[in-house]
């Protein structure tokens, strides 16, 4: 028998923290996703949730001093790249398990096989390394090597993954955290870079959106930077508020 609800959590760097608020609001409405697909930050949040860590507890992982420093994603000095090993180690400690098979529900992680130039979905085997690979933003993190190939951020090629969710779930919700505002007039370099990133990534999202019963796409996230990790509480609240709004309007069930 198919599970009633599944959820797809997009990538979006700091904005992906809004998934925590989305999950909390859904749970309060007795909507409990039983299968998760995630890319990049969505893969991290999704792994924590699938391991049985509640949305109320998940922010603590990102608020650790070591993680706040690590998630200040800026181009490293001297042209070097950050290693994903620390992220994998922190995840393994927080999760308390080693493999996908030990999770409390199915998890499907989108990764980009950099060597072969294709999207892949990982749902078995070593967990923390696959999730770290999904979040390995090129030029900032070193690619993660798995099975002889190099892997980077899953959001590059599949930022709103669906994977096998339609075979497992009757209704699939999308939590999309890269709202494309129709009003934009900034010429500041940072804002232009982020706008360009969002538009490019959105091209691999559009075709997937029709596969979902509903899409949570908080407009307030358009005002948040990809690197606003210090604003975790605000970002979580934005996701929560938008989900509550949709619930009250009868658009989620």
């Amino acid at each position: 028998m198919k599970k009633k609800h599944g959820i797809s959590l997009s990538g979006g760097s700091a904005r992906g923290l809004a998934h925590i608020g989305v999950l909390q609001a859904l749970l309060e409405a007795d909507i409990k996703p039983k299968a998760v697909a995630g890319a990049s930050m969505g893969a991290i949040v999704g792994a924590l949730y699938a391991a049985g860590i509640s949305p109320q507890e998940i922010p603590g992982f990102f608020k650790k001093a070591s993680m706040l420093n690590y998630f200040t994603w800026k181009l490293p000095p001297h042209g070097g790249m950050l290693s994903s090993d620390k992220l994998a180690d922190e995840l393994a400690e927080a999760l308390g398990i080693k493999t996908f098979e030990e999770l409390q529900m199915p998890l499907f992680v989108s990764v980009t096989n950099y060597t072969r130039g294709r999207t892949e979905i990982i749902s078995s085997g070593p967990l923390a390394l696959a999730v770290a690979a999904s979040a390995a933003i090129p030029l900032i993190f070193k690619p993660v090597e798995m099975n002889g190939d190099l892997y980077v951020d899953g959001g590059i090629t599949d930022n709103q993954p669906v994977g096998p969710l339609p075979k497992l779930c009757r209704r699939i919700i999308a939590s999309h955290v890269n709202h494309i505002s129709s009003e934009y007039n900034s010429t500041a370099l940072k804002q232009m870079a982020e706008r360009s990133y969002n538009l490019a990534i959105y091209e691999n999202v559009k075709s997937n959106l029709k596969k979902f019963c509903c899409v949570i796409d908080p407009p307030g996230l358009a005002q948040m930077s990809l690197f606003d990790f210090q604003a975790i509480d605000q970002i979580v609240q934005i996701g929560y508020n938008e989900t509550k709004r949709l619930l009250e309007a009868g658009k989620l069930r």
Side-chain angles (χ1 to χ4, degrees):
M1 180 181 296
K2 285 188 175 182
K3 306 172 193 302
K4 186 170 183 181
H5 288 100
I7 193 165
S8 170
L9 308 177
S10 76
S13 196
R15 290 193 292 257
L17 299 169
H19 297 313
I20 303 169
V22 169
L23 289 167
Q24 179 62 37
L26 290 175
L27 290 175
E28 289 177 6
D30 203 30
I31 297 175
K32 302 174 182 177
K34 297 297 185 181
V36 186
S40 199
M41 182 56 71
I44 298 176
V45 174
L48 294 166
Y49 173 75
I53 301 172
S54 73
Q56 291 178 321
E57 296 174 297
I58 291 175
F61 171 75
F62 296 98
K63 288 182 176 181
K64 291 171 58 178
S66 59
M67 296 313 294
L68 279 174
N69 290 333
Y70 193 65
F71 281 123
T72 303
W73 284 344
K74 300 176 181 178
L75 287 176
H78 312 301
M81 289 185 284
L82 298 173
S83 171
S84 296
D85 292 345
K86 178 175 172 56
L87 175 56
D89 290 344
E90 294 275 1
L91 271 168
E93 180 180 348
L95 293 166
I97 56 177
K98 295 181 178 180
T99 68
F100 281 83
E101 288 78 8
E102 297 171 80
L103 291 168
Q104 295 186 11
M105 65 187 71
L107 173 69
F108 305 96
V109 171
S110 167
V111 294
T112 299
N113 187 320
Y114 211 47
T115 302
R116 303 179 187 276
R118 68 190 185 200
T119 298
E120 294 180 12
I121 298 289
I122 301 178
S123 59
S124 63
L127 175 60
L129 191 63
V131 174
S134 183
I137 300 175
L139 302 181
I140 296 179
F141 289 98
K142 292 179 181 178
V144 173
E145 184 174 351
M146 295 187 293
N147 302 317
D149 287 349
L150 298 178
Y151 288 84
V152 296
D153 193 338
I156 294 174
T157 53
D158 189 10
N159 200 44
Q160 193 75 65
V162 179
L165 289 182
K167 297 179 181 179
L168 299 176
C169 308
R170 285 181 282 158
R171 298 181 62 77
I172 311 168
I173 298 167
S175 179
H176 179 256
V177 298
N178 300 299
H179 184 76
I180 304 296
S181 173
S182 59
E183 298 179 4
Y184 179 84
N185 56 14
S186 175
T187 57
L189 182 59
K190 181 180 179 182
Q191 282 72 28
M192 289 182 67
E194 291 197 12
R195 176 75 169 179
S196 298
Y197 169 85
N198 288 340
L199 291 172
I201 294 297
Y202 189 63
E203 285 304 305
N204 75 53
V205 169
K206 288 191 296 186
S207 62
N208 270 357
L209 290 181
K210 61 180 180 290
K211 301 176 183 177
F212 301 101
C213 69
C214 42
V215 178
I216 302 169
D217 184 23
L221 292 176
Q223 308 304 316
M224 306 305 297
S225 166
L226 291 169
F227 307 103
D228 277 340
F229 283 95
Q230 297 286 348
I232 179 170
D233 291 332
Q234 181 182 353
I235 293 172
V236 170
Q237 192 66 41
I238 289 171
Y240 179 85
N241 290 345
E242 178 64 8
T243 307
K244 290 284 284 186
R245 185 189 72 80
L246 293 173
L247 285 164
E248 291 167 2
K251 296 182 179 180
L252 292 172
R253 60 189 187 277

